[in-house]
Structures are given as C-alpha cells and as structure tokens.
Amino acid sequence: MLILTRKKNESIIIDEQIKVTILELDNNRVQVGIEAPRDISIHREEVYLEIQEENRKAALARVDLSLLKESLSKGIEEKEKKSQSKGG
Amino acid sequence: MIIETANFGKIEVPESKIIDFTEPILGFEDYQKYTIIRGLEDEPFYWLQSLDEGDLAFIMINPFQIFEDYSFNLPTKAKDKLAVKEDSVLLINTIVVIDQDTGDIRTNLKAPIIINGDNNKGAQVVLEEDYPTRFYLFKGEMVVEEKVRE
C-alpha cells in the first residue's frame, strides 16, 4: 500500500483524473472530497461488503418458489389478522 | 448447453438464453454465465441460475412489483459494460435473500441485476441513489411461527 501524509486542504491526484482532498480533520474522522470523471464509481467500502454479504446469503437459497410465494402471502394474512385483533 | 443444477436437475439452455455478466455479481467474480428460469405460473419470484456452477442460483424479483417508485440513473460505467443504446430494453431485477436464521425475506435495492435484452449482457450495478441493501418484503417472525405450529 502506498502511504502518503497530507494536511488539511491538501490533495492527491490519481491517474491525472481523480483528485482526493482532505477537507476536515476531527478526532477520529476525516472528511474527504473526491473529484472524479462521471464514469468512475465511488462508494464507501461497507456498501460493497454489505452487497457481497447479501449475495452470499442469497446464494444459499434452496426453496420451491411456489412455496415461497405461499409463505409470503400467508405471512401477510397473518400480519393483517394480528393487526386487526390488536386494533379491536 | 446442458448443465446439471441443484434446483432443477439437468437443464438445457439454448445459446440465446445465456446471459453474460460483464460486471460480476459481487463476491461471485468467478461466475460469468447465467440464465433466468421462471416457474410455469405467474410467480413473483424467479431464478438466476449460474451456468458455470450448477449449485449456484439466486432468487430474483421484479422490484417494481414491490416498490413502484423505484428509479435510478444507470451509471455511465454500467451503460458501457452493458453496451446500452438509446433504444435498449433493460430488464431490472433485484436479488432476494431468504434469511435462514430469521426467516426474513428481503431484497437488495442498492445493487440491482440489470440485463440488456439486446445482447444478453448482465451486470450487478451498485447505484448512486440511496436505496437499502436490505429492503424487507417480509419480516421473519411470521414464517417462524408458522413452522413451529406445523
């Protein structure tokens, strides 16, 4: 990993097209500004990790889809019944 | 091509139904070829079956069925990867998770599976819009209760 030290309002240029600027330093938090071309996608790492985790969980599915549909509508009915009885 | 699958046994997939993922499903970068398998009835759920690995399949849903106002700008990179033209017909799907521990059923609106109907290129696209990775279709306790009763 390349490690560079930067102060507030200093920047790093990546590949002559992405500019990363340190905007704010505060305790354990750093605010970073990023200027990049429209075709560069930028997300927090957690977003990717969350998506990966959801994908892995999704890949474990072993169900009959018609049963899934049934349990979904059954669940909705139950939910409605419950909320009705609660209301009354 | 013919492939042995965990959910459907041996299936034959014509060339025209093979979807080539030019932007992989995150965490499944080694798998590129998929096909969509729908039930006979008009079910809300359908399968995205890997053609590289018979055991690998995802359940998908048409997100507009559960969330009418779902809308986003397709990022430029995704447009390129899918070779999207102005008149391209895009199929928008989202992956469904059935959480085995909680019984929750949810879908990932942050990263839809987009397929270009013109060329059968597919991609999982991470949207810039602020949608949840966990959009609940159903909270688990009901299903769990059902199971206990049975």
Side-chain angles (χ1 to χ4, degrees):
Chain A
M1 186 191 283
L2 171 68
I3 299 172
L4 301 169
T5 303
R6 300 277 66 194
K7 291 178 186 156
K8 189 176 165 179
N9 292 328
E10 290 183 341
S11 298
I12 295 165
I13 308 279
I14 301 168
D15 203 22
E16 292 166 25
Q17 55 173 346
I18 301 165
K19 185 173 174 181
V20 180
T21 309
I22 306 305
L23 295 176
E24 206 67 64
L25 292 156
D26 166 34
N27 283 335
N28 273 325
R29 288 176 52 175
V30 178
Q31 199 173 37
V32 178
I34 303 162
E35 292 163 75
R38 287 289 306 154
D39 59 342
I40 302 280
S41 56
I42 301 165
H43 297 282
R44 290 181 175 86
E45 185 183 22
E46 302 92 277
V47 171
Y48 288 97
L49 297 178
E50 272 174 37
I51 293 168
Q52 276 182 20
E53 194 198 333
E54 287 301 277
N55 286 347
R56 282 201 199 98
K57 283 200 173 149
L60 298 173
R62 292 282 175 276
V63 284
D64 183 329
L65 294 192
S66 55
L67 290 179
L68 180 61
K69 184 187 177 188
E70 217 170 86
S71 75
L72 191 67
S73 49
K74 236 189 225 176
I76 291 165
E77 272 172 34
E78 282 274 316
K79 220 180 224 172
E80 279 169 357
K81 260 187 224 164
K82 256 194 183 173
S83 62
Q84 274 170 12
S85 62
K86 260 181 205 165
Chain B
M1 68 180 288
I2 293 172
I3 182 164
E4 183 78 37
T5 65
N7 286 299
F8 314 101
K10 203 174 267 186
I11 56 165
E12 184 169 5
V13 182
E15 202 69 25
S16 63
K17 299 277 183 196
I18 297 175
I19 300 158
D20 180 26
F21 271 66
T22 50
E23 188 78 347
I25 295 179
L26 289 165
F28 294 86
E29 284 75 9
D30 293 343
Y31 308 104
Q32 204 185 336
K33 306 254 184 243
Y34 292 84
T35 195
I36 287 180
I37 298 177
R38 289 174 195 275
L40 292 174
E41 292 170 56
D42 184 28
E43 285 164 5
F45 302 100
Y46 42 92
W47 291 95
L48 182 67
Q49 169 68 52
S50 166
L51 300 176
D52 300 308
E53 169 54 62
D55 285 348
L56 179 61
F58 298 91
I59 298 170
M60 300 201 300
I61 195 168
N62 172 354
F64 300 103
Q65 280 190 355
I66 47 145
F67 187 57
E68 265 178 42
D69 295 338
Y70 190 48
S71 76
F72 52 83
N73 287 312
L74 194 59
T76 313
K77 191 183 160 200
K79 272 185 198 161
D80 293 346
K81 291 270 182 181
L82 293 167
V84 174
K85 293 179 195 141
E86 235 167 67
D87 58 348
S88 290
V89 178
L90 300 180
L91 302 170
I92 316 290
N93 321 270
T94 53
I95 292 182
V96 173
V97 174
I98 300 157
D99 196 307
Q100 308 285 345
D101 301 325
T102 60
D104 292 341
I105 302 172
R106 58 180 187 255
T107 194
N108 182 350
L109 295 181
K110 179 72 177 171
I113 301 293
I114 300 177
I115 296 161
N116 186 348
D118 296 351
N119 52 25
N120 277 346
K121 286 183 197 289
Q124 183 167 37
V125 179
V126 182
L127 301 180
E128 281 160 25
E129 285 78 0
D130 194 19
Y131 284 116
T133 52
R134 293 181 169 190
F135 180 87
Y136 286 89
L137 307 178
F138 179 59
K139 274 285 194 179
E141 48 176 353
M142 301 300 170
V143 172
V144 175
E145 280 174 14
E146 283 290 327
K147 267 186 198 157
V148 171
R149 234 173 277 158
E150 279 163 22

